[in-house]
Amino acid sequence: MADHAIYSTPRLVTDLRDCCFYHTTAIPGYGLVQGQWDLRKGVRHYLGNVPLAGKRVLDVGAASGFLTFYMESQGAEVVSYDLAPEHPWDIVPFAGVDVAGCLAERREIIRKLNNAYWLCHHAFGSRARMVHGTLYDVPAAIDAVDVAACGSVLLHVRDPFLALQNVLRLTRETVVVTDLLPRRHLASYWLARLARPRMTFVPDARRGGPQDSWWILSPEVVRRFLEVLGFEDTRLSRHWHPYEGRKRLLYTVVGRRTRARPAV
């Protein structure tokens, strides 16, 4: 049974100017608010067309909450999980860069993302619960979930395997991992079933960036991760979504648990 002490108390936020939206969202009482990503027309594909009605779902990296509130609208009981300002963003510590300054900037972004989540939570009349923390310390007190949705989060963490391991120890049935496939890797995507699993280290010291992305993960390496963690029945799909006005290619790997969940 979940420990209710871990859940954040809902806050009343009404000022859009003090919010940051990761996803474009049509919000009751506010209208259409633009975000970086627009998943509205393809959200089912983004989530691997996984049935959600009656499921307890963990939305990993909930950001401003678009996926949380969509999954709730499909009949899921949703626990949102994301950073709060007191949790450090997993930035790349380039030598010579003001890391403390970067972390301060990220804290402000997190604060505004949290505000956007609570503004939407109230506007949608949501019953979703929020837990704050990092992917390196996912509380066991969340208790078991049927589905874990990891939407474009693994590329942003230094240790994506550990992040998945911490999420999947709570997951009874299904995991959905969606991630970005950069344009320069499109050719290799079509040969993915023949290629070896690949993790490409993204940070480039010559240009000092990116500061918040660590890896390009091929679909095959995600499949290998899931197989090791007991989700050996996997399927892969691809889909396009607008990002800041341009279409970007993403892939989704859906994994079904085939081996017993570890004790937590």
Side-chain angles (χ1 to χ4, degrees), residues 41-61:
K41 292 183 178 179
V43 62
R44 286 185 174 85
H45 297 299
Y46 188 93
L47 292 170
N49 292 294
V50 170
L52 297 167
K55 301 296 185 181
R56 188 167 192 254
V57 180
L58 182 63
D59 181 11
V60 181

Side-chain angles (χ1 to χ4, degrees), residues 82 106 134 163 222 240 247 249:
D82 210 343
R106 295 307 192 277
T134 75
V222 170
W240 296 83
K247 288 289 187 73
L249 180 63

Side-chain angles (χ1 to χ4, degrees), residues 49 58-59 68 79 98 118 122 127 137 150 167 175 187 190 245:
N49 292 294
L58 182 63
D59 181 11
T68 287
V79 177
D98 179 9
W118 290 119
H122 179 74
R127 300 181 66 181
D137 190 24
C150 302
V167 169
V175 58
W190 303 113

Side-chain angles (χ1 to χ4, degrees), residues 114-159:
N114 291 168
N115 281 352
Y117 176 92
W118 290 119
L119 182 146
C120 291
H121 190 277
H122 179 74
F124 284 109
S126 175
R127 300 181 66 181
R129 312 295 295 272
M130 169 61 83
V131 179
H132 289 299
T134 75
L135 286 175
Y136 301 129
D137 190 24
V138 180
I142 290 174
D143 206 9
V145 297
D146 302 304
V147 179
C150 302
S152 300
V153 294
L154 296 184
L155 75 164
H156 294 302
V157 292
R158 186 189 311 230
D159 191 336

Side-chain angles (χ1 to χ4, degrees), residues 3-66:
D3 180 354
H4 292 272
I6 64 173
Y7 296 125
S8 296
T9 302
R11 295 188 287 107
L12 181 61
V13 178
T14 59
D15 189 351
L16 288 174
R17 295 169 298 180
D18 203 28
C19 297
C20 176
F21 287 85
Y22 189 57
H23 298 111
T24 296
T25 309
I27 308 172
Y30 294 87
L32 186 66
V33 178
Q34 296 293 330
Q36 291 175 293
W37 285 96
D38 189 350
L39 305 182
R40 290 173 297 156
K41 292 183 178 179
V43 62
R44 286 185 174 85
H45 297 299
Y46 188 93
L47 292 170
N49 292 294
V50 170
L52 297 167
K55 301 296 185 181
R56 188 167 192 254
V57 180
L58 182 63
D59 181 11
V60 181
S64 48
F66 175 82

Side-chain angles (χ1 to χ4, degrees), residues 156-185:
H156 294 302
V157 292
R158 186 189 311 230
D159 191 336
F161 182 85
L162 179 59
L164 263 184
Q165 183 180 15
N166 288 337
V167 169
L168 296 187
R169 65 194 175 97
L170 302 179
T171 307
R172 287 185 289 228
E173 298 176 6
T174 305
V175 58
V176 180
V177 178
T178 298
D179 221 320
L180 180 66
L181 200 65
R183 292 179 184 276
R184 64 183 179 275
H185 288 260

